[in-house]
Amino acid sequence: MVVGGHRGMGMNAVGAPPGARFGAARERENTLLSFGRAAAHAAVAFVEFDVQVTKDGCPIIFHDDFILTQGTGAVYERRVTDLLLEDFLSYGPQKESCKVSKPLLRRAGDGRVLNWTTEDDDSLCTLQEAFQRVSPRLGFNIELKFDDSIMYHRKDLQCALKAVLQVVFEHARNRPVFFSSFHPDAAQMMRELQSLYPVLFLTEGGTSKHHDPRRNSFDDAVRVCLEYDLHGIVSEARGVLKNPSAVARAQESNLALLTYGQLNNVWEAVYIQYLMGVHGVIVDRVEEISDAVAGFGLGKPGLGRGGAGVDGAKTHQAEAFSQQQLGFLLRLIPELIEQRHRKDGTPYVTSQFLTLEADGKNSSLGSTLVPTD
């Protein structure tokens, strides 16, 4: 199992309390600072980040479809792909002290617009800068970002993808790179435009519904991969944990399988996926989970060794668990999906895990709370 850092060292959820398990990364997400710190952890194989293309054709790294700033008594919102590169880079901290920066705001999950502040800040950046300034040993998972609310013409998709590919071809050199996208047509087109880098299809694994029927289940994702000759799937972790046979279907189809989502910030949930045969996890608690995964191959779940690599960390399921014990764990997986609510209405996932000794003689049941989207 390999570990990837979500937007670097983890995403920023505005309003998240310091030390929260999700959304409280110290570094501003999708920046050179965050990528560089992820690269310093030997057990982190890659970082995942979101790439969009500005109006003047420059691939930049930014997650949200819209960028927000504060004006005189008002909040101003612009679509990222409608900005020129110079305009985009004028938001947030500036590389040159002589330039005036626009404050960055972000919309919270409840609709409030809040100041987007981080403990350790950095400037927004381009894809080219990431290739030039981040350690070449760190892999890049480039998510091709498109707005779900827009119907894109084929020529517009192709123009954006070609702009991304030009930067990759010129600057990737020997760096491991793979693409992913929630947009089925973009994934298909990227596969058609080049054959050097793997293309994976992103799916929520049936945890939400979309107008595009290709996006509504894990089985739909498998069909998309087989029809478009894609290399694998990146699924929301819940889509795999509530449907363990998904791993077998991916393996039978010779597809790589990675997962993302808040449950990947709980090492027990990652350990279950490791036993199931998931190839990689994208996480926010980068240091904690990468160290834990490094320990899995040592037969010591949760007791990772700082700086340990993940190469060769694959062991057969039977090494720590019998098939009977593994089956018992999988029958507990629906507990991971059970929802409950705090008094303020914020949903939480109740994660219950059975911890078994290797000889199966001792067991204990624990519970972990993880905030949902």
Side-chain angles (χ1 to χ4, degrees):
M1 174 179 277
V2 295
V3 176
H6 186 210
R7 309 182 197 173
M9 285 296 289
M11 69 168 285
N12 309 136
V14 290
R21 183 160 287 275
F22 177 77
R26 292 176 52 189
E27 304 82 4
R28 182 175 297 281
E29 65 180 44
N30 282 335
T31 60
L32 299 178
L33 172 66
S34 191
F35 301 152
R37 288 186 178 172
H41 293 281
V44 177
F46 66 92
V47 287
E48 178 273 348
F49 54 76
D50 313 273
V51 170
Q52 305 182 59
V53 177
T54 60
K55 189 175 181 179
D56 48 349
C58 182
I60 51 90
I61 300 177
F62 195 77
H63 173 270
D64 300 355
D65 296 319
F66 292 88
I67 193 166
L68 284 70
T69 193
Q70 181 77 46
T72 306
V75 172
Y76 295 93
E77 184 176 52
R78 299 281 304 278
R79 182 177 289 280
V80 171
T81 52
D82 286 343
L83 296 173
L84 299 175
L85 175 62
E86 184 178 3
D87 295 332
F88 171 75
L89 294 177
S90 69
Y91 290 82
Q94 297 297 293
K95 296 181 178 70
E96 301 174 26
S97 59
C98 61
K99 291 188 176 181
V100 177
S101 68
K102 299 174 185 175
L104 268 172
L105 283 68
R106 196 174 209 179
R107 199 176 302 279
D110 58 8
R112 292 177 299 155
V113 174
L114 304 173
N115 287 324
W116 186 356
T117 59
T118 57
E119 186 175 343
D120 297 331
D121 215 343
D122 196 18
S123 306
L124 302 181
C125 68
T126 66
L127 178 61
Q128 179 175 330
E129 287 177 309
F131 274 111
Q132 292 174 331
R133 297 180 57 187
V134 177
S135 168
R137 79 97 192 151
L138 187 70
F140 283 176
N141 169 197
I142 300 174
E143 180 184 338
L144 307 167
K145 184 81 174 175
F146 296 96
D147 189 338
D148 286 346
S149 66
I150 295 178
M151 294 289 293
Y152 292 91
H153 295 292
R154 182 176 177 84
K155 64 179 180 60
D156 295 326
L157 286 177
Q158 190 172 69
C159 183
L161 296 179
K162 284 184 174 180
V164 173
L165 273 177
Q166 181 177 349
V167 173
V168 174
F169 286 151
E170 289 179 4
H171 300 283
R173 299 196 174 118
N174 295 323
R175 184 190 302 274
V177 173
F178 65 97
F179 298 105
S180 61
S181 184
F182 283 105
H183 197 298
D185 296 330
Q188 178 187 18
M189 194 174 297
M190 181 56 83
R191 183 71 177 94
E192 293 171 347
L193 288 171
Q194 57 84 45
S195 58
L196 186 58
Y197 301 106
V199 181
L200 281 67
F201 185 50
L202 272 159
T203 177
E204 288 157 311
T207 60
S208 61
K209 290 296 180 182
H210 297 271
H211 293 300
D212 189 332
R214 295 173 293 180
R215 296 185 57 185
N216 285 332
S217 73
F218 190 92
D219 286 341
D220 292 328
V222 171
R223 283 190 286 271
V224 166
C225 288
L226 295 179
E227 181 177 351
Y228 300 157
D229 193 29
L230 306 183
H231 299 86
I233 294 171
V234 185
S235 174
E236 219 285 356
R238 290 175 297 164
V240 171
L241 289 171
K242 73 178 182 180
N243 185 14
S245 61
V247 179
R249 288 198 294 280
Q251 292 172 341
E252 291 165 0
S253 303
N254 198 29
L255 298 172
L257 177 58
L258 283 70
T259 65
Y260 70 93
Q262 295 183 31
L263 282 176
N264 281 357
N265 298 312
V266 180
W267 76 259
E268 294 95 332
V270 174
Y271 188 50
I272 290 176
Q273 295 177 70
Y274 168 80
L275 295 172
M276 293 167 69
V278 171
H279 299 122
V281 288
I282 297 170
V283 307
D284 291 285
R285 296 184 69 86
V286 173
E287 185 172 7
E288 175 186 333
I289 301 301
S290 62
D291 283 351
V293 170
F296 293 171
L298 305 174
K300 299 177 181 179
L303 299 176
R305 292 161 54 181
V310 297
D311 292 340
K314 299 176 182 178
T315 57
H316 193 272
Q317 293 172 349
E319 181 172 304
F321 283 78
S322 69
Q323 288 300 311
Q324 182 180 11
Q325 291 166 342
L326 182 61
F328 187 42
L329 276 172
L330 295 181
R331 287 195 294 274
L332 289 177
I333 283 174
E335 298 290 342
L336 294 166
I337 316 302
E338 179 187 342
Q339 300 284 323
R340 80 177 188 182
H341 296 263
R342 298 187 303 185
K343 290 181 180 179
D344 64 1
T346 304
Y348 267 69
V349 175
T350 302
S351 306
Q352 295 186 341
F353 306 102
L354 183 70
T355 303
L356 295 173
E357 299 295 336
D359 59 8
K361 293 179 181 178
N362 301 310
S363 65
S364 61
L365 191 64
S367 179
T368 305
L369 291 179
V370 187
T372 64
D373 292 334

